[in-house]
Amino acid sequence: MSGDDDFEEVEKDIAPEGPAVDPDAEASDFVEYGIEDKPPLGESALLGFQHYLTMIGASVAIPLALATAMGMPGQQVGRLIGTFFVVSGITTLAQTTIGNRYPIVQGGTFSMLAPALAIIGVLASNGAGWNLMIRELTGAVIVAGLVEVLIGYFGVMGALKRYVSPVVIAPTIALIGLSLFNAPQIVNPNFGGAGTGQNWWLLGLTLVLIVGFSQYLDKYHRTFRLYPVLLGMATAWIIAAALSVTGVYGPSSVSYVDLGSVASAPAVQPIYPLQWGMPEFTPAFVVGMIAGMLASAIESFGDYHAVARMAGKGAPSKKRINHGIGMEGLGNVFAAVMGTGNGSTSYTENVGAIGITGVASRYVVQIGAGVMIVAGYVGYVGQLFATIPAPIVGGLYIAMFGQIAAVGLSQLKFVDLDSNRNVFVVGFALFAGLAIPTYMGNVADGAAGFQQGMAQVPILGAVLGSEVVATTLFVIGSTGMAVGGIIAFFLDNTIEGTAEERGVTELAEMSEDESDFQSFFDRYRSSDAEERAPGAD
């Protein structure tokens, strides 16, 4: 075994009198605005809006997928999308203020979408209506969120940090990007419409614009460096809208911009707790949703390391990780109570935006969160977001997810790549993280079909074929970063290797001290103590 002892030895061996490590040195020429920076309000509003533009695909795709599966009436779909926006804004403010305080946008999670669709399928086969379906999802997500609260605030995720070397972190983060290569906005030419043409050129135009602004024109003016995503998507959207108005694109086209839907949207839409009714709690559904939550937590663990790396900061401490995961658990509970039928997690898209724009300001993300809250309640704004054509979202995804994959692989600079055990672990984890979810996606009848297959396993069939075990394995196996992360974690901690060889030595040197992170309650107690101190005003 090589994990706990190695990490502790490394921490002891780091000489306190040695030269101080400047975590910002490596990224100083890349980060335009660091975590603590506060750009002017107007600029922050645009930058924050841009951060949220990067995750609009997920914020619209997840509620649309749920609404379609449930058979939700058309007039309620816009309200569901608005609910996602409001929840995203509020949970982001909570995470950036009380949680891990990283500039990471919070919002709906694809990891919980898989068990949600499985739950909807079971209920649909029993003739349940959409209202009962969303109330069952609400109950399942509430329990899963409470479990994540315990995992976070009882220090479970933080305790695992000492066993997680760059050999584990690299494939986990890389798979966050790589596992999304087959997002329907990228690979399905007819996604979002009946398909009057593949419209590959609109996807390509969006990608060329974003790459051009961020990589080629950035040196000529800071506007191109700060707003490549906003400029790229806005330009492509204006072109698509013009072609739609002139009749080049019809309503059946994947690139059609339906401006009429914006005009007909309600000015203000009601969004409030338990808007769909009281939650229902079914044990089998709860277990499936907990599996989705665990996959989401593993992804967030990787996101924390990725955003710290992009922002030029040391690897997150145990305390910061625990507070982040705990707050995501509370975010899940809040999202469920508000009626999303889904949870809340760190948005990988937002992490990719930091890599493209160099804007890692917490303040910017908080301003953007305020914009999203307003957008959720104002029907026109939310519907305008929904008009962004799928090819434009696909072009954005290619630029961002590729950046995330590269950030993950950059962690390998800290390990010995001449070591066969390291190359084996990383390669195995990456391949399995792509292959196994693809296998799961091809299983006939999804989770139910997988359960039938597991029941046929000799000797263990009775256990593996149970609904609880099979559903849990199916959900985790369908999530690339969970598969790769678990495999890399197991192999790296069971195959013999030195701390230096595995990158543990350098990771320990780069990690922030536990005292570097002050929680909201720590800061509150400190300010209260200063006020009570003798001589204080």
Side-chain angles (χ1 to χ4, degrees), residues 183-443:
Q185 293 92 339
I186 299 174
V187 301
N188 184 353
N190 300 324
F191 179 77
T196 58
Q198 294 185 0
N199 293 342
W200 56 267
W201 71 267
L202 186 59
L203 182 152
L205 174 64
T206 306
L207 181 59
V208 167
L209 288 170
I210 293 175
V211 172
F213 288 133
S214 65
Q215 303 300 322
Y216 293 99
L217 300 179
D218 59 317
K219 61 179 69 67
Y220 296 107
H221 198 282
R222 70 191 301 266
T223 300
F224 300 134
R225 183 169 64 254
L226 290 176
Y227 306 105
V229 173
L230 182 59
L231 290 171
M233 293 188 68
T235 302
W237 183 88
I238 290 172
I239 292 173
L243 293 174
S244 300
V245 171
T246 56
V248 176
Y249 288 145
S252 63
S253 172
V254 295
S255 298
Y256 180 70
V257 176
D258 185 7
L259 295 177
S261 66
V262 179
S264 61
V268 178
Q269 50 190 1
I271 296 171
Y272 50 88
L274 301 177
Q275 57 186 319
W276 315 115
M278 295 301 293
E280 300 284 341
F281 299 91
T282 302
F285 297 162
V286 167
V287 172
M289 198 61 73
I290 289 175
M293 176 275 295
L294 292 174
S296 171
I298 294 171
E299 179 180 356
S300 295
F301 185 89
D303 283 339
Y304 297 169
H305 283 79
V307 75
R309 179 110 172 91
M310 287 181 174
K313 296 295 184 182
S317 63
K318 291 187 293 184
K319 187 176 181 182
R320 190 186 296 272
I321 291 171
N322 290 334
H323 278 266
I325 297 299
M327 181 52 65
E328 287 195 15
L330 291 174
N332 279 329
V333 175
F334 177 72
V337 170
M338 290 298 290
T340 63
N342 191 256
S344 178
T345 190
S346 298
Y347 262 131
T348 300
E349 293 91 332
N350 165 240
V351 178
I354 294 174
I356 293 174
T357 66
V359 177
S361 166
R362 180 192 305 118
Y363 178 71
V364 164
V365 171
Q366 290 170 336
I367 294 295
V371 172
M372 286 302 287
I373 295 173
V374 173
Y377 282 106
V378 179
Y380 301 128
V381 179
Q383 191 59 42
L384 183 64
F385 276 107
T387 65
I388 299 176
I392 294 179
V393 176
L396 169 68
Y397 278 4
I398 292 175
M400 289 191 314
F401 295 152
Q403 177 84 12
I404 295 165
V407 167
L409 295 177
S410 70
Q411 294 282 333
L412 296 177
K413 67 181 289 186
F414 305 122
V415 310
D416 181 6
L417 288 178
D418 290 327
S419 166
N420 180 66
R421 58 94 65 192
N422 288 344
V423 173
F424 173 79
V425 172
V426 173
F428 191 173
L430 282 173
F431 191 87
L434 293 173
I436 294 178
T438 301
Y439 171 86
M440 295 295 185
N442 291 328
V443 173

Side-chain angles (χ1 to χ4, degrees), residues 43-132:
E43 188 172 294
S44 294
L46 280 176
L47 292 171
F49 177 70
Q50 177 175 246
H51 265 291
Y52 273 88
L53 264 182
T54 63
M55 37 62 67
I56 201 63
S59 287
V60 172
I62 293 175
L64 283 179
L66 289 172
T68 301
M70 291 186 294
M72 179 177 277
Q75 65 269 24
Q76 302 291 354
V77 176
R79 184 173 164 190
L80 182 63
I81 293 174
T83 303
F84 269 73
F85 286 178
V86 171
V87 168
S88 176
I90 293 175
T91 54
T92 298
L93 288 176
Q95 184 70 278
T96 56
T97 305
I98 305 175
N100 60 28
R101 308 193 73 232
Y102 274 151
I104 303 182
V105 174
Q106 306 290 294
T109 167
F110 283 105
S111 296
M112 287 188 173
L113 179 60
L117 294 177
I119 291 170
I120 290 171
V122 172
L123 292 170
S125 65
N126 294 328
W130 71 269
N131 185 268
L132 175 60

